[in-house]
Amino acid sequence: MMLTSSQGRCHSQGRYLLTAGLQCCRCRVSCHVIRHYSFLPDDVKSLRAVVNPDISKIRNIGIMAHIDDGENKMWERGITIQSAAVTFDWKSYRINLIDTPGHVDFTLEVERALRVLDGAVAVFDASAGVEAQTLTVWRQAEKHHVPCVCFLNKMDKPAANFSIESIRQKLKANPVLLQIPVGSGKSFSGVVDLLTNQKLIWKIRTELGDDGRVFESKPLDQSDEPELLQEASEARTALIEQVADLDDEFAELLLTDFGDNFDAVPSVKLQEAVRRVTLARKGVPVLCGSSLKNKGVQPLLDAITAYLPAPNERHHDLVERVSRLLVPFADQHVETPSITAGNIALTVGLKQAVTGDTIVSSKASATAAARRAQNDGGARKKRGEDANMVLSGVEVPDPVFFCTIEPPTMSKQADLANALNCLQREDPSLKVRVDPDSGQTILCGMGELHIEIIHDRIRREYGIETHLGPLQVAYRETILHEASTTDTLDRTVGERRHVATVDLAVRPVDIFSSGGLCELDFTEEVEGQLSPEMKAAVENGVHTSNLQGPLLGYPLLGVSTLIKSVKVEPGTVPVMVSACVSRCMLKALRLAGVQVLEPLMSLEVTVGENHLSSVLGDLAQRRGTVQDIQSRHDNKVLLATVPLAEMMGYSTVLRTLTSGTATFSLALDTYEAMNPQDQSILLKRMSGLL
């Protein structure tokens, strides 16, 4: 059981899915089928069926989207800030839905959700295609090998454009088109299912309201528009050919039985092949619709159950038991004594656990799970599958902003510390430290919005009116050259003499290839002679130096340290060895020359052409570099890179420049060396001279 310390909330996207998606109730058949999906108050299931459905009928999925692409109305400032969980049934399937944030400040929420999900739905704005944050969440899904389905949303927008090229070009994915739209913009009324050649139409029904619960399904025939018939025929042929290229089993079936007539391929065989392609992550099914009005949502739910994996197909088969479990079923919580593999549940009462922990019933069960994973490893590796049973902790990105935080009075200091401790358990991307010089509490987060919301939550949930200092950028430091040095620490404490001599070298490494991390290596001679205790002391000394660079005290990036020699006199304690290593590191770093790195952001601005020059002028003043200017319908899309330090308050300025008509998105791109002039200004500012 992987723990995410989040308050489960029903997200608006989830509500839209729920409106269409709790139970298939009644159908009546005439010349075509009218389907009506809604809540059934008299549809009562057994508690066993509610809590523990068959594992093959469970789908644990996440919703991934760029901010606002999912037409969300969520909880803070109109956007999702925490992963929101909800459980509901669709036909005979149980769907555990987690909607993840689309804002760059809350990337960790996406990370921790994707690690425990079996599949994901990537939602795109049909008028915009792949946007900045979409790239980030897509890479996270790829890292965790999560099969995906794509949904082109907002097809009823005037500027909607049904195109999958941006998925292919920007995400480097292989889109498998399963539907084509019937109309677009205001005329969007439905879709054609290319597997079954069925036309699904959502008509406005005044007696029920235009909420998308009712749609009509009928086969394509000669009464339909010739253009639509031709487009559907060509698209289905292309789909069959594409799937045959990706799935050998389907290709053999096609050549053996249906080589002369693709139209005769049974839809069930095509669906099975699409499922194999999706689970192997060779392609991503693409559907379309408008989630706000539930148009296309029912086929999307069908696609989730048809193409995304059940938990037992992802091999997360470790069963756990905790003291109290709750299942978030629709808008109610059902208590259950146990939960079987594949389900998502809530637990209460855990005092020490934090987000990212893997909960086990005992050490013995964890050992047994690891042993089973090793025994199964050979067979799974042959199939290209991961044999790891126990999840590692989430990868927490480094904070990019920080500020001081102070309670209203000293009597509230303990309450504030408790609040910050609780918030850190829930959100590992939030870092809190105490400045050793001033004694002030420092709040470190992923962005302006992230820190603002933490500030609001402390006031709202803990009743503490705190004061935040000026927001500052979390720069990094690196070195310019390779350098070697030796240092000896000789200290007498009481009657004991402590002597240690360290010889080490530092060199710069590429930030991209190292992932921005600092590296530590030992020569074979040192590796063999150091005891585990002394090796840990050396590692601690290097780690301490990496956390505080010699120029401005910012953490180091892209520095590789090689320990060439460590000589320790008998009686020397490990803490003295750590101190010697830190002092030697400081000397080596200064010899290598230190450079300040600043976070560089990818910026995407969608703006009308009449405001483009104003936006470009403002961007130039922010040290921005324009990468490209593209056309998107009546707007221009400006792609640029900008130092994060220059982006504070940008939303307000952009709103003023464009009369509120422009939108923008940010994503952390990399860290870049600051030019000498800007570095000199920063040094003076940090020294209090400016």
Side-chain angles (χ1 to χ4, degrees), residues 397-597:
D398 290 329
V400 293
F401 277 115
F402 68 92
C403 65
T404 59
I405 182 169
E406 297 176 353
T409 62
M410 289 306 297
S411 63
K412 290 286 186 178
Q413 183 67 49
D415 293 337
L416 175 60
N418 177 64
L420 292 173
N421 183 55
C422 292
L423 290 170
Q424 284 183 95
R425 287 178 58 207
E426 179 181 323
D427 179 6
S429 66
L430 172 67
K431 304 291 186 184
V432 179
R433 60 182 174 85
V434 176
D435 186 277
D437 298 323
S438 66
Q440 291 180 299
T441 301
I442 308 296
L443 199 63
C444 309
M446 297 305 301
E448 286 184 273
L449 182 60
H450 186 201
I451 289 180
E452 269 185 54
I453 288 173
I454 292 296
H455 185 218
D456 288 347
R457 290 187 62 190
I458 292 172
R459 174 183 53 80
R460 189 174 63 248
E461 297 175 22
Y462 297 92
I464 306 172
E465 293 287 347
T466 56
H467 171 71
L468 295 183
L471 206 59
Q472 300 182 58
V473 173
Y475 296 98
R476 298 291 186 267
E477 297 180 23
T478 192
I479 56 175
L480 300 174
H481 314 289
E482 186 173 347
S484 299
T485 190
T486 302
D487 195 24
T488 299
L489 183 145
D490 188 344
R491 221 172 262 176
T492 301
V493 179
E495 297 181 354
R496 179 182 291 185
R497 187 183 180 198
H498 305 271
V499 181
T501 301
V502 175
D503 183 7
L504 59 79
V506 294
R507 63 180 180 86
V509 294
D510 183 70
I511 293 176
F512 295 101
S513 62
S514 67
L517 301 176
C518 292
E519 301 171 353
L520 172 61
D521 292 309
F522 295 84
T523 63
E524 290 185 9
E525 181 183 356
V526 174
E527 190 86 47
Q529 76 180 31
L530 283 181
S531 66
E533 189 179 32
M534 286 302 176
K535 185 178 179 182
V538 172
E539 291 172 344
N540 183 61
V542 173
H543 178 66
T544 301
S545 299
N546 288 340
L547 290 178
Q548 191 168 13
L551 191 63
L552 291 172
Y554 291 112
L556 296 176
L557 279 185
V559 175
S560 177
T561 303
L562 175 65
I563 305 298
K564 296 157 53 173
S565 171
V566 178
K567 297 179 180 178
V568 181
E569 294 292 329
T572 302
V573 295
V575 68
M576 292 298 181
V577 176
S578 294
C580 182
V581 171
S582 295
R583 198 167 73 174
C584 190
M585 274 281 292
L586 181 62
K587 288 173 60 177
L589 293 171
R590 286 173 173 166
L591 286 172
V594 184
Q595 168 74 57
V596 175
L597 300 174

Side-chain angles (χ1 to χ4, degrees), residues 163-205:
S163 173
I164 59 175
E165 282 307 305
S166 64
I167 297 176
R168 181 179 289 112
Q169 293 174 4
K170 294 185 178 181
L171 300 182
K172 309 303 180 187
N174 194 0
V176 179
L177 194 62
L178 303 187
Q179 297 175 342
I180 59 172
V182 179
S184 64
K186 291 184 178 180
S187 65
F188 174 71
S189 59
V191 299
V192 174
D193 185 332
L194 298 178
L195 283 83
T196 62
N197 269 330
Q198 293 279 320
K199 183 167 75 169
L200 312 179
I201 299 297
W202 283 260
K203 293 184 176 180
I204 298 176
R205 296 179 177 271

Side-chain angles (χ1 to χ4, degrees), residues 646-660:
E646 305 293 342
M647 294 304 294
M648 293 189 191
Y650 184 67
S651 58
T652 302
V653 173
L654 184 65
R655 192 180 306 118
T656 302
L657 289 174
T658 65
S659 302

